[in-house]
Amino acid sequence: RYFTVEGRRVEEEGQRERKSVMASSLFSSDSVEDWRSSLKKYAIAIEKKEKKNPSTLPALDKWLRCDLRQEVAKRSPRYFTVEELSKLMEWKLKRGKFRPRLAQLIASNSNKDVKSSTTAALKEVDDDVGKALKTLTALKGVGPATASGILMAADESVPFMSDEALAASSKKVEYTPAAFKRLVEVFRQKASQLGDEWTVEMVEKAVWSAAIESKLGGFGEEEEKSGSKRGAKAKKLESESNEIGAKAKRRRK
């Protein structure tokens, strides 16, 4: 319990702190086994997050990291459509806090504005992730978290800016371009520390999985076994998608 005039705010902060305990412990760990174990549980975590329809969020996650990434990589220059942005927002709201007004705002953007802003941001992201983030927030309904999701959907070397990722890596949850630049830096450093096979995306998924597991009080043994199998399949699909993206990136250079 929390007794304060700002009870609701403090309670939310308390919940955020509890669910990030395991994630922050993981982030300070250099054990590849710890990280690999948490990453394998991502398939379970993402099913558990969507209680009403457990299959919806995993399907959206696969679409975002594989199908959408491949589609965007094929375009020259790269860009997103308003329909893709709306579906990405659906993923964000199901994976995080549900704010239906944001979906309405996203849908109110014109295709022209979405294409223009996303094209500009994806040209900027390699040189200045903070600037790319700011460019995207000019769109209606796009704040720093959604903007990071757009960049992540196009590039696995950019992490999604979530409460879990911020709390685990910096102990401070703030959604600003400066905070995003720090998040990108520390997640890239962690991926480098863990070895060549690790990407920023894998680091972010492991951290988020650890936070959800902590919040739910752990996963069952049978769930972990089935989750490992689904996670291996998802990893293979993402690797293929990322290779397509890497080839497209080399062509742009």
Side-chain angles (χ1 to χ4, degrees):
R1 295 181 180 180
Y2 301 87
F3 299 93
T4 171
V5 292
E6 294 183 295
R8 184 174 179 181
R9 178 181 177 184
V10 174
E11 183 176 359
E12 286 180 353
E13 290 176 350
Q15 291 172 345
R16 181 182 290 161
E17 182 179 349
R18 287 196 299 276
K19 73 181 180 182
S20 67
V21 168
M22 186 181 289
S24 60
S25 297
L26 177 66
F27 207 84
S28 62
S29 172
D30 293 326
S31 169
V32 176
E33 280 305 309
D34 288 346
W35 280 90
R36 190 174 289 126
S37 175
S38 187
L39 180 62
K40 286 180 180 178
K41 297 174 186 176
Y42 182 78
I44 311 169
I46 206 156
E47 284 185 0
K48 290 284 189 180
K49 188 66 175 65
E50 179 64 16
K51 295 178 181 178
K52 292 183 179 180
N53 190 349
S55 64
T56 304
L57 185 54
L60 284 170
D61 199 70
K62 174 187 173 296
W63 167 81
L64 182 103
R65 300 177 190 278
C66 300
D67 303 338
L68 178 60
R69 186 171 293 161
Q70 287 184 29
E71 185 60 34
V72 171
K74 292 175 185 175
R75 298 169 184 164
S76 183
R78 294 179 299 166
Y79 65 89
F80 287 73
T81 67
V82 69
E83 289 80 9
E84 290 166 344
L85 198 54
S86 292
K87 196 169 179 179
L88 185 149
M89 176 58 77
E90 183 183 358
W91 169 85
K92 175 184 176 292
L93 295 178
K94 287 183 179 296
R95 195 174 185 261
K97 293 185 177 69
F98 185 66
R99 297 188 177 94
R101 175 63 178 155
L102 289 179
Q104 297 171 8
L105 288 171
I106 288 290
S108 70
N109 288 292
S110 69
N111 250 321
K112 180 181 178 181
D113 288 342
V114 170
K115 183 176 181 179
S116 175
S117 293
T118 55
T119 297
L122 293 178
K123 287 180 179 178
E124 296 164 344
V125 67
D126 290 336
D127 297 323
D128 191 335
V129 292
K131 185 178 180 181
L133 194 84
K134 287 182 180 179
T135 296
L136 291 168
T137 56
L139 292 168
K140 288 176 284 187
V142 176
T146 303
S148 75
I150 295 169
L151 298 175
M152 178 273 288
D155 189 337
E156 78 278 7
S157 72
V158 177
F160 177 59
M161 197 181 194
S162 64
D163 284 357
E164 293 82 6
L166 289 166
S169 60
S170 68
K171 311 300 182 186
K172 190 174 183 180
V173 177
E174 58 177 0
Y175 288 85
T176 64
F180 181 57
K181 290 181 79 169
R182 288 196 298 272
L183 184 71
V184 171
E185 182 180 353
V186 296
F187 269 60
R188 287 177 177 174
Q189 287 176 350
K190 179 56 69 174
S192 178
Q193 289 173 6
L194 291 172
D196 293 340
E197 71 174 284
W198 284 82
T199 65
V200 169
E201 183 170 63
M202 292 165 68
V203 170
E204 191 274 332
K205 287 171 68 176
V207 166
W208 189 82
S209 176
I212 298 302
E213 183 179 11
S214 178
K215 181 182 179 182
L216 297 178
F219 301 136
E221 186 176 343
E222 288 303 313
E223 288 178 323
E224 291 190 15
K225 288 180 180 178
S226 61
S228 293
K229 293 179 182 178
R230 295 194 300 278
K233 184 178 180 181
K235 183 179 178 181
K236 181 180 179 182
L237 289 171
E238 287 170 22
S239 295
E240 292 171 354
S241 178
N242 292 340
E243 180 57 30
I244 291 173
K247 288 179 179 177
K249 190 172 184 177
R250 289 194 291 269
R251 287 198 300 271
R252 289 194 298 275
K253 290 182 177 180

